[in-house]
Amino acid sequence: MNFLKLQFSGTSDVTFSIFCGQRKIANGLPGRDLFQFQLRDFIGNPMLFAAADFGMVERNTSGNTTEIRYSGCNRLPATEVFTAVRTDDDGNLCWKIRIVPGTEDFKVEWVDYPRLHLCEFSDSRYLLPYAEGTLVSDLRRREAKASFPCALSDYPLTGINSFYPGPAAMQFEAAYSADGGLCVLCADPGHYPKVIDMIPDGDSIRLVLQHFTGGGETLPYEIVTSAFSGGWQDAAEIYRNWMEANDPFLPPKLAGRMPRWLEDSPVVVVYPVKGHGVDSGGLTPNEYYPYSAALPVIDRYRETWKNPLLALLMHWEGTAPWAPPFIWPPSGGEAMLAEYLEAMHRRGNSVGLYGSGIAWTQKSMIAPGYTLEEQFETDQVGREICKGPRGEAFSRVCNNPRGQRLGYDLCAAREYTASVVGREVGSAAKLGVDYLQYFDQNQGCSAPLCYAKDHGHPELPGAWETGAMHDLLTQAKAAAGKTVLGCENGAAEPYIGTCQLNDLRNHLAWGTGGMPVALYSYLFHEYTTGFSGNGVCLSAWVDTEHTSFYLLWSLAWNFASGNLLSVVLKDGGKIHWHWCIPWSAGEPEQEPIITLIGNLSAWRRGAMKPYLVAGRMIKTPEVSCGTRRIFLKQQLSAAVPAVVVSAWESDGRRAVVLVNYGETAEPCKLQWCNPVNGTVSGTESAGPFHGKEVILTVPPLNAVLIELAV
């Protein structure tokens, strides 16, 4: 059994070391505080504290629990902190903290705890819950090149960062090397808002665990640190075991509640009906408008791939593109869109629409004539928007004069927000839209933080934020009826019951100095699903000029992760690199992409369907194959396997999926710890085998399935 050993020294200047076996893996050293916390007074002024602010420290150990009391505060004399760490029956270290402000003038806003310092090793890997799963080998390079804030941020916190529940979809992280690892899990069934990250700090890597308490003095859950051996999938198993035993938000399995069109695995085809690939420059109707003008392209791809399609429309709104919260009616009116819906459904296809979430647009930067400033005043919307600690109002996502809009965020706890969302979602559902990504811009479906004193919710962010967003989604789901809802990025854990199909953004991992891993699918694929996404702003991180195979790799990676395949179209029905790139830019080579999608679609609707549609991802066997290099703009190139491999379980059966995204055959060897019986299909060496290993060749732009006897 893996277990952790905690050794203390000192009483007034407490230090400690954490060992995994005989190897030290983490520290709490003098001058490196075990905690920080921030208080807010009744008018919104912050006061930041650390252990150094307390003149008296008392440590007491009784049985398997050590308590440390901090008193004698030099700034607020009556303020005290009580921390505790215990060793449970499984050898895990479980951390708790209570903060007593000592005055009614202040409440606890957040606490960063435990601030453990991880020892760095030459082969260290850091697993972060960002962008559906990010694995980083050099956090110092990531810190220099990070494209999002990863330390403690001021209001507003939400956006594209390591905020949970949001772009960080699950509440754990891990660090490991060949000699062992540390999994850090917030055992929090209430899903309090928090930041989950790691940052360089001196000669070590420090955990960032910023918990928003809602003003409560006691953090009502433990932070559990566990030792483990292996890689990121082994850490994911620790979290999955906790999640499936303790999470009250976890919905029923997706199998059985998935609509038929989604179960049929459509290829998602993303395109705008106005403009030419970017959110600027005058959005006049293009060749895909009116809506039915796209049918020849849809028909061609359906026939080529022998697969249904989900057409996901952009710039379709009759209001203005990306101008939340209003989206309805569609450009050209309901009748024009209804005609297209009927034609698509008659062909066995589906239709989806993008929305823009629960922000409020004062003025569109894309369509300058669109403004809601008068309605803002008439409807007194100022009462409904999120406020900061001092009453400030601001929206982080897509909100700047050179962006998409200017405006604010609507508070998820307000009835006004729910009524607007219900009306907009219900309008699309009534017309028969199959999929509505209404919660685009709410990254991971996150609720923007709100400190308003007159909204009927607590004045400081806490678990009520998550509960309010969950309630809002429940009302949206009721309004949606049969229409499937989704968001931008993978929906965070408390929201996967409503957001059934989501626009995944694994390419954001490259912007951190790391690389994507299928952590989201590993944990949640049985409960929700996603498509490979519109890849917005991919060119900011990936050098596609020197990585001509990137889309092929991305499609293979997403297919092996159980996600629907998606493409973004430019003019002439050609597949483009991603969304938000001009149509004038050169497109990737078409035929390899078209061939790969056709081959993979046949597998997903055929022999691999039981595993990839709603199966349970499990740990892969050891894989040996060639590598290829993805060239990046903000860091060194990244080596990726030439064959993408995943393992699955469904109804008592197990399988391994192998995908070759290259245009030449690729040899591959798989090794198991114990002998297995299996059958290989999809390659010249197809047939049964027995043993600890199998060597095979994966054909170009295609896949191989290995089914194992259980």
Side-chain angles (χ1 to χ4, degrees):
M1 179 192 300
N2 294 309
F3 66 92
L4 299 175
K5 181 173 60 175
L6 185 63
Q7 291 185 349
F8 281 97
S9 61
T11 52
S12 61
D13 195 3
V14 176
T15 68
F16 61 86
S17 298
I18 300 175
F19 292 83
C20 180
Q22 299 301 312
R23 189 173 195 180
K24 184 167 68 174
I25 61 172
N27 295 307
L29 300 178
R32 295 182 176 180
D33 297 320
L34 182 59
F35 60 83
Q36 278 191 352
F37 64 91
Q38 185 158 284
L39 304 181
R40 288 272 180 186
D41 69 12
F42 58 95
I43 58 174
N45 295 316
M47 197 174 228
L48 183 65
F49 293 82
D53 292 310
F54 295 85
M56 183 175 295
V57 182
E58 303 168 85
R59 177 169 60 89
N60 178 59
T61 299
S62 177
N64 64 351
T65 301
T66 296
E67 296 179 342
I68 308 175
R69 177 191 178 197
Y70 296 80
S71 59
C73 182
N74 56 19
R75 300 166 68 194
L76 283 179
T79 300
E80 294 184 315
V81 178
F82 302 85
T83 68
V85 57
R86 67 180 180 90
T87 304
D88 69 11
D89 294 339
D90 295 320
N92 305 314
L93 299 179
C94 306
W95 307 78
K96 291 207 73 172
I97 189 168
R98 180 166 69 97
I99 299 164
V100 180
T103 171
E104 294 182 356
D105 292 337
F106 285 91
K107 292 183 178 179
V108 181
E109 180 184 11
W110 56 258
V111 55
D112 183 17
Y113 173 82
R115 289 162 60 92
L116 302 182
H117 291 256
L118 309 179
C119 301
E120 289 187 272
F121 307 108
S122 60
D123 61 342
S124 290
R125 297 291 184 270
Y126 305 96
L127 177 66
L128 304 175
Y130 171 74
E132 291 100 47
T134 299
L135 191 62
V136 182
S137 59
D138 186 350
L139 277 171
R140 297 176 189 281
R141 187 175 73 224
R142 183 204 97 158
E143 193 67 5
K145 300 294 184 181
S147 59
F148 61 93
C150 59
L152 304 181
S153 303
D154 203 353
Y155 174 84
L157 183 69
T158 51
I160 302 179
N161 52 29
S162 51
F163 178 80
Y164 175 87
M170 63 289 295
Q171 48 184 345
F172 90 106
E173 58 188 345
Y176 61 89
S177 64
D179 293 330
L182 187 71
C183 177
V184 183
L185 182 163
C186 297
D188 172 20
H191 299 277
Y192 278 66
K194 52 183 69 74
V195 172
I196 304 172
D197 213 329
M198 302 181 196
I199 60 173
D201 189 350
D203 58 357
S204 65
I205 300 298
R206 180 172 62 77
L207 298 183
V208 175
L209 293 166
Q210 182 190 21
H211 314 265
F212 287 83
T213 68
E217 296 183 356
T218 300
L219 202 62
Y221 53 87
E222 292 182 314
I223 298 91
V224 180
T225 49
S226 306
F228 72 96
S229 298
W232 68 265
Q233 294 172 99
D234 299 281
E237 285 290 346
I238 295 173
Y239 186 75
R240 179 153 66 183
N241 290 338
W242 176 85
M243 175 185 76
E244 293 184 337
N246 298 281
D247 186 2
F249 289 92
L250 203 62
K253 300 290 180 67
L254 195 58
R257 62 182 181 92
M258 183 184 294
R260 179 62 183 270
W261 69 262
L262 185 53
E263 184 181 345
D264 283 346
S265 298
V267 175
V268 183
V269 179
V270 182
Y271 62 90
V273 299
K274 294 181 181 179
H276 301 90
V278 293
D279 293 331
S280 61
L283 298 181
T284 57
N286 59 37
E287 64 192 74
Y288 301 120
Y289 186 88
Y291 306 107
S292 294
L295 288 173
V297 172
I298 297 296
D299 290 343
R300 171 160 57 89
Y301 279 123
R302 180 181 173 105
E303 175 59 27
T304 300
W305 290 328
K306 302 293 189 286
N307 202 83
L309 305 183
L310 168 63
L312 185 50
L313 309 186
M314 292 180 141
H315 291 172
W316 64 273
E317 304 97 314
T319 50
W322 314 135
F326 304 111
I327 57 174
W328 208 258
S331 292
E334 291 188 3
M336 182 191 292
L337 182 57
E339 178 186 1
Y340 178 63
L341 280 164
E342 192 277 331
M344 288 289 283
H345 290 162
R346 190 171 64 248
R347 288 163 164 80
N349 299 316
S350 306
V351 176
L353 304 173
Y354 275 93
S356 303
I358 61 170
W360 175 271
T361 299
Q362 285 287 76
K363 186 176 180 60
S364 170
M365 296 292 100
I366 301 173
Y370 181 79
T371 175
L372 295 177
E373 292 171 311
E374 183 177 341
Q375 184 177 347
F376 184 85
E377 297 299 330
T378 300
D379 293 353
Q380 297 183 313
V381 180
R383 297 179 177 181
E384 315 298 335
I385 61 176
C386 293
K387 300 291 180 60
R390 298 185 181 91
E392 64 270 42
F394 176 77
S395 178
R396 169 170 288 183
V397 179
C398 304
N399 190 65
N400 63 77
R402 293 180 300 278
Q404 295 174 335
R405 62 183 177 87
L406 292 176
Y408 309 106
D409 288 320
L410 289 172
C411 177
R414 298 291 282 176
E415 179 56 35
Y416 178 85
T417 306
S419 65
V420 169
V421 171
R423 183 171 64 250
E424 299 299 299
V425 169
S427 297
K430 184 178 179 181
L431 201 65
V433 171
D434 301 286
Y435 171 63
L436 180 61
Q437 191 173 307
Y438 184 82
F439 296 96
D440 197 89
Q441 297 188 14
N442 286 100
Q443 313 290 332
C445 217
S446 57
L449 299 184
C450 186
Y451 292 75
K453 296 177 173 60
D454 58 353
H455 280 189
H457 58 64
E459 297 177 11
L460 296 173
W464 68 265
E465 291 259 7
T466 306
M469 193 67 188
H470 186 270
D471 291 346
L472 175 65
L473 289 171
T474 299
Q475 295 179 65
K477 185 177 181 180
K482 295 181 179 180
T483 299
V484 172
L485 296 176
C487 68
E488 181 176 359
N489 294 303
E493 187 177 331
Y495 311 135
I496 59 178
T498 295
C499 295
Q500 201 169 355
L501 177 64
N502 303 297
D503 191 335
L504 303 181
R505 304 292 168 90
N506 75 333
H507 64 284
L508 297 179
W510 302 116
T512 70
M515 64 186 303
V517 292
L519 180 60
Y520 192 82
S521 292
Y522 200 95
L523 293 172
F524 303 131
H525 188 68
E526 297 170 276
Y527 307 98
T528 187
T529 192
F531 59 97
S532 52
N534 67 29
V536 62
C537 300
L538 169 69
S539 295
W541 298 292
V542 179
D543 184 349
T544 54
E545 181 180 353
H546 295 95
T547 315
S548 58
F549 66 86
Y550 184 82
L551 276 191
L552 296 170
W553 172 85
S554 179
L555 289 165
W557 190 97
N558 277 280
F559 175 83
S561 300
N563 303 322
L564 296 181
L565 302 182
S566 63
V567 294
V568 176
L569 300 185
K570 60 181 292 189
D571 56 311
K574 298 186 290 290
I575 296 170
H576 212 0
W577 287 105
H578 57 86
W579 176 248
C580 214
I581 182 173
W583 284 4
S584 57
E587 68 274 5
E589 188 179 352
Q590 300 289 289
E591 284 309 311
I593 296 172
I594 292 170
T595 299
L596 180 63
I597 291 175
N599 289 336
L600 297 185
S601 294
W603 276 111
R604 184 177 171 103
R605 287 167 55 82
M608 294 183 184
K609 180 177 180 178
Y611 308 106
L612 296 182
V613 171
R616 180 183 183 89
M617 187 179 278
I618 58 176
K619 188 177 179 180
T620 56
E622 184 177 339
V623 181
S624 300
C625 65
T627 60
R628 304 185 74 175
R629 302 206 74 83
I630 293 176
F631 291 91
L632 305 166
K633 292 184 176 180
Q634 299 186 16
Q635 56 170 305
L636 303 175
S637 62
V640 294
V643 176
V644 184
V645 181
S646 61
W648 296 87
E649 183 178 76
S650 175
D651 294 328
R653 296 180 293 172
R654 293 194 171 194
V656 180
V657 172
L658 303 92
V659 189
N660 175 13
Y661 54 91
E663 296 183 65
T664 58
E666 285 287 345
C668 187
K669 181 171 73 172
L670 280 73
Q671 294 177 285
W672 289 266
C673 296
N674 299 303
V676 298
N677 294 307
T679 302
V680 178
S681 56
T683 182
E684 292 180 356
S685 56
F689 73 93
H690 171 78
K692 289 186 176 182
E693 68 177 40
V694 61
I695 300 175
L696 49 80
T697 299
V698 187
L701 302 175
N702 215 323
V704 166
L705 175 65
I706 301 175
E707 293 191 277
L708 303 176
V710 179

